Amino acid sequence: MSVEEPTPEEIERNARIDRLAAALFLAFGATGGTSSVPILRPVAEVLDAFGVVQTEPDSDEVQARLASVPGWAKERIREEAQPVPVEPNHHGIQETARVRSAPKRPKRIPKSARGVIANPGV
């Protein structure tokens, strides 16, 4: 079983997501709020998908603050992140197993089982 090497775009995207997750970790910690660490990475992935970028990525102050996030916190964010489920295709054909088949068509319907029209044309 071979493991596919990530493309340069995926490596860059993962780096952006890591920076966003670390920034979220700092933001929630600085405000005194509590946040669930496993939710930070999926939130960062959604923010990255919407085009949100970390402000001033080249700023020395921002990089120093992000570097101050402990390594165990970054690892915990990565490890405990729930995988984002794949969106189901609601427009595709759904393959389902047949539950039951219809009975055979009768060759002759008995007279007592035939329907009668009582008031034609009313």
Side-chain angles (χ1 to χ4, degrees):
M1 184 170 162
S2 64
V3 177
E4 294 182 21
E5 293 294 321
T7 63
E9 293 85 16
E10 290 174 346
I11 292 171
E12 181 182 331
R13 180 176 183 271
N14 286 336
R16 284 193 320 261
I17 289 171
D18 285 342
R19 284 195 304 269
L20 278 172
L24 287 171
F25 181 77
L26 281 175
F28 285 123
T31 59
T34 58
S35 65
S36 175
V37 173
I39 197 70
L40 293 178
R41 181 139 178 116
V43 169
E45 289 175 358
V46 169
L47 289 174
D48 183 65
F50 284 130
V52 175
V53 294
Q54 178 190 344
T55 57
E56 303 173 13
D58 297 331
S59 170
D60 293 334
E61 180 183 345
V62 172
Q63 293 302 324
R65 291 203 63 194
L66 288 178
S68 70
V69 174
W72 62 267
K74 291 179 185 176
E75 281 301 313
R76 186 170 173 202
I77 290 170
R78 284 190 204 108
E79 289 173 0
E80 293 184 6
Q82 297 294 325
V84 178
V86 177
E87 281 289 320
N89 182 2
H90 298 290
H91 303 287
I93 296 173
Q94 182 179 5
E95 297 292 330
T96 56
R98 184 176 290 194
V99 178
R100 186 171 180 198
S101 59
K104 289 186 176 182
R105 192 177 78 210
K107 295 190 187 261
R108 183 180 176 287
I109 299 175
K111 194 168 194 171
S112 62
R114 294 182 195 167
V116 178
I117 301 173
N119 295 329
V122 173

